[in-house]
Amino acid sequence: MQLYSFFNSSTAYRVRIALALKGLEPTYLPVDIRKYEHRAADYLTRNPGGGVPTLVDGDMSLGQSLAIIDYLDSVHPEPRLIPLDAVPRARVLELSNVIACDMHPVNNLRVLRYLQKVLQVTPEQKDAWYKHWIAEGLTAVEHLLAQHGHGPYCFGDAPTLADCCLVPQVGNALRMDCDVSAYARTMAVYAHCAAQPAFQRARPSEQPDCVK
């Protein structure tokens, strides 16, 4: 098994958390998206979307973090990250998709580059854009956790896909100096996860391509 990853990619971070929770250690293959290595022709044959991460398992090459984690749950089901029962599964997917579909896409590197290089927004406008979408998304996450969350993780005493998504997104918010003071439940989950060995192994700072 091989993982094409960039240390500071939140989508790759999600997958690294899932792999660590399952005790899997694929070969780590860095892809520097700052240098557009994800747009190289040979990489695009593996991941036509031109993003990270990409997981290669035997003859199969798979992009998209949520699809990868779902695949890992199927072939390495312990510990399960996406519940089988209908209601818990729906709750985990609901929160995960707030992050993966509503928050992350509008703030990822290619969007921020487009804002700066094509639309020529100012650095202040770019920062305001970023912080606006963080606030929108974390407000929704906080409400979902207040209504349906329980235990030290998002949904109970064991991590799920929701935690795999939440931790990188909060990490990005902190890195970008966003105000997270209004999200007490979200930050409690983040702090609990950050103290766990699997989450620590997946951190950007622990990856071989991390720029210290």
Side-chain angles (χ1 to χ4, degrees), residues 51-162:
V52 289
T54 299
L55 184 78
V56 177
D57 191 14
D59 295 332
M60 190 198 69
S61 183
L62 184 63
Q64 294 297 327
S65 61
L66 300 192
I68 292 170
I69 296 172
D70 182 62
Y71 170 77
L72 292 172
D73 248 14
S74 296
V75 296
H76 300 281
E78 296 298 330
R80 181 163 290 282
L81 300 176
I82 305 173
L84 293 175
D85 292 344
V87 173
R89 178 183 182 88
R91 292 303 179 198
V92 166
L93 291 175
E94 179 183 31
L95 192 147
S96 299
N97 280 288
V98 166
I99 295 170
C101 299
D102 293 347
M103 296 179 69
H104 170 260
V106 295
N107 276 348
N108 72 5
L109 182 59
R110 65 180 179 178
V111 169
L112 298 179
R113 278 175 169 166
Y114 187 87
L115 288 173
Q116 290 182 285
K117 294 185 177 182
V118 178
L119 300 184
Q120 297 185 336
V121 304
T122 66
E124 293 77 16
Q125 289 172 321
K126 184 201 74 171
D127 289 346
W129 167 283
Y130 193 100
K131 291 176 180 180
H132 170 80
W133 296 115
I134 288 291
E136 288 263 323
L138 289 185
T139 297
V141 168
E142 186 74 5
H143 283 305
L144 289 173
L145 290 175
Q147 292 171 0
H148 309 295
H150 55 95
Y153 293 100
C154 287
F155 299 104
D157 295 327
T160 65
L161 174 65

Side-chain angles (χ1 to χ4, degrees), residues 5-9 12-13 16 28-35 37 175 200-212:
S5 178
F6 177 66
F7 76 100
N8 228 16
S9 160
Y13 191 177
R16 295 197 304 264
Y28 188 99
L29 300 171
V31 178
D32 193 338
I33 63 177
R34 297 165 304 184
K35 298 179 180 178
E37 291 178 357
R175 182 167 57 88
Q200 293 171 353
R201 289 196 298 275
R203 288 184 304 199
S205 61
E206 298 302 310
Q207 307 316 303
D209 58 330
C210 177
V211 177
K212 303 292 186 181

